[in-house]
Amino acid sequence: MSRNAIDVLLIGGGMITHDQILPSLYHLQRQGVLGPIKICALGSGPLRALAEAPALAEAFPGQSFEAFPALDVPEAETFPELYKELVAAMPPRNLVVVAVPDHVHDPVIRFALEHDQHVLTVKPLVLRYDQAAVIERMAHDRGLFVGVEYHKRFDRRSLEARRQYRAGRLGEFRCGEAKMIEPYYYRHSNFQNWFTKENTDPFTYVGCHYVDLVYFITGVRPAEVAVRGVEGAFPNGNVGYLWASGMVRWENGAVLNVLAGLGYPDEAPGTNDQALCLYGEGENVGTILKHNDQFRGCSYGYTDHAAGAAFRYINPDYFRLVPWQGDGLRPVGYGHDSVEGLVESALAVNAAGEDLAARQSVLDEIDRRGLVATPANSSINELVIEATRLSILADGAPAVIEYKPKPRVRLR
Ligand SMILES: NC(=O)c1ccc[n+]([C@@H]2O[C@H](COP(=O)([O-])OP(=O)(O)OC[C@H]3O[C@@H](n4cnc5c(N)ncnc54)[C@H](O)[C@@H]3O)[C@@H](O)[C@H]2O)c1
């Protein structure tokens, strides 16, 4: 991999930026992989929160980002188009990191590609298959990398499961269940402004992690989705689907039930609830793959409530800032491995130089390998999201995913 640093414009300064993306980028920066980091948000509020975040200051002493708008701009002023000026001013083939709400991904990603930038986006890439197909084509035509941050793929247990499944040792997946229930307090956050019925739902938001993971492990594609939503009001009165239960049928006839929601008790140890269980069949033998992704064998009772409750399960596998030989703290876990893997993919494309065909051949190899999610190797996710939205808005009617003659989704 090339170690020629690239500059970063991170668009979006919310929760995921604070908890995972920025710490990972800071660490890559101090390793010399990344150059200067700019962050653009809708207004100065989230940027100030990041600039003053005690956890980031402790872990990355002396590191900072350039804020757009500037930190002293009044919080109430918003700049929804400011990212365009910043992207347009970037020299070609640097990196735009997209961490804005789901429904804003598409225009931001296309704008970055039009201005010759590699893209690292938090999941989901976009909300519709046709958008993913356009992004795939734009990126390939220009020899640019687009990667989607599905960090569960980098969990060591997922990588081990993929290897053993593909070696045939876990048989053929036939029936399974997954759940991801996010904390209740999400309802009080900025979620209440965008997590409304017309934009998204819990299956689209977090259920998709496990659909992607089953595909990542087994290579089997989803063929039908039926999702039932449970409505409720956010504290500000906006109405959203706060719970969802979905059934995914796969091309090999297997079925997966998925529970998703925003309601895991804030005081419970979780800090969310998540698990995957796949039953399969080998030759005259039953198989099982069971991951408890919530409780990883580590729980702490604290003297304080800084973690939201006095007793918590800890997931050091996902993301932790831990002591290391250098100053501050370093990020460890699959959250960091995932960001690093995506950044290294963009660098590998740049290492192929000015020759478009050479860059495209690196991109083809990344797609084929299938570890980092790209539009070419992960757009089953957009098809599932489309099917979910059709189904949930039709009170749980099944939506079919067809792959031929070209991918499309329709109510059955
Ligand atoms: N497990 C995961 O992979 C995971 C977890 C959490 C969030 N996410 C994804 O991350 C994204 C953001 O989620 P979040 O929880 O951080 O949201 P958030 O609401 O906390 O933050 C969104 C940020 O986007 C900024 N923003 C919105 N429109 C903008 C614009 N036009 N220009 C510049 N900035 C703009 C806002 O200022 C805010 O800082 C979503 O797509 C979500 O699905 C992924």
Side-chain angles (χ1 to χ4, degrees), residues 73-91:
V73 169
E75 251 183 58
E77 288 180 43
T78 57
F79 302 85
E81 307 277 297
L82 178 58
Y83 76 87
K84 293 186 176 175
E85 281 171 40
L86 298 164
V87 171
M90 292 169 80

Side-chain angles (χ1 to χ4, degrees), residues 11-256:
I11 305 174
M15 179 185 69
I16 193 76
T17 293
H18 172 271
D19 291 356
Q20 182 196 339
I21 306 295
L22 184 56
S24 273
L25 296 178
Y26 269 158
H27 188 63
L28 293 169
Q29 184 184 48
R30 73 176 160 201
Q31 290 179 310
V33 178
L34 296 176
I37 298 172
K38 294 179 177 165
I39 308 184
C40 173
L42 215 41
S44 64
L47 297 171
R48 204 168 311 135
L50 289 172
E52 292 167 3
L56 295 174
E58 183 191 358
F60 305 100
Q63 286 181 255
S64 59
F65 62 88
E66 203 179 343
F68 297 89
L71 299 180
D72 56 4
V73 169
E75 251 183 58
E77 288 180 43
T78 57
F79 302 85
E81 307 277 297
L82 178 58
Y83 76 87
K84 293 186 176 175
E85 281 171 40
L86 298 164
V87 171
M90 292 169 80
R93 299 204 288 282
N94 283 289
L95 183 65
V96 170
V97 179
V98 179
V100 290
D102 296 1
H103 59 286
V104 193
H105 290 190
D106 181 53
V108 174
I109 293 170
R110 279 190 289 110
F111 193 85
L113 292 173
E114 278 160 12
H115 292 81
D116 254 325
Q117 303 303 318
H118 300 298
V119 173
L120 184 172
T121 179
V122 294
K123 66 84 209 162
L125 174 66
V126 281
L127 296 170
R128 291 205 324 265
Y129 174 79
D130 62 343
Q131 296 169 329
V134 168
I135 288 170
E136 177 185 346
R137 208 165 41 246
M138 286 177 72
H140 195 264
D141 288 352
R142 292 167 170 76
L144 296 169
F145 172 72
V146 175
V148 196
E149 207 279 303
Y150 277 106
H151 44 247
K152 284 189 172 297
R153 290 179 171 215
F154 281 78
D155 192 339
R156 286 171 190 181
R157 59 185 59 181
S158 310
L159 293 163
E160 171 69 3
R162 177 176 161 110
R163 177 160 177 246
Q164 299 303 341
Y165 188 93
R166 298 203 179 201
R169 296 190 62 211
L170 291 168
E172 185 178 9
F173 159 51
R174 303 307 296 151
C175 187
E177 62 181 352
K179 67 181 164 190
M180 186 174 300
I181 313 295
E182 294 288 27
Y184 190 91
Y185 72 79
Y186 275 25
R187 301 182 187 196
H188 290 276
S189 73
N190 187 38
F191 271 60
Q192 57 190 316
N193 296 318
W194 64 276
F195 204 96
T196 44
K197 281 175 66 181
E198 66 282 9
N199 284 333
T200 190
D201 58 80
F203 190 101
T204 297
Y205 184 65
V206 285
C208 68
H209 277 300
Y210 278 110
V211 175
D212 181 70
L213 205 53
V214 170
Y215 169 67
F216 178 76
I217 292 168
T218 66
V220 182
R221 297 183 300 186
E224 185 178 294
V225 177
V227 183
R228 199 84 205 201
V230 180
E231 288 178 28
F234 283 99
N236 67 357
N238 281 344
V239 174
Y241 293 113
L242 301 181
W243 303 92
S245 170
M247 200 275 281
V248 183
R249 182 174 59 77
W250 301 75
E251 275 192 312
N252 67 351
V255 288
L256 177 80

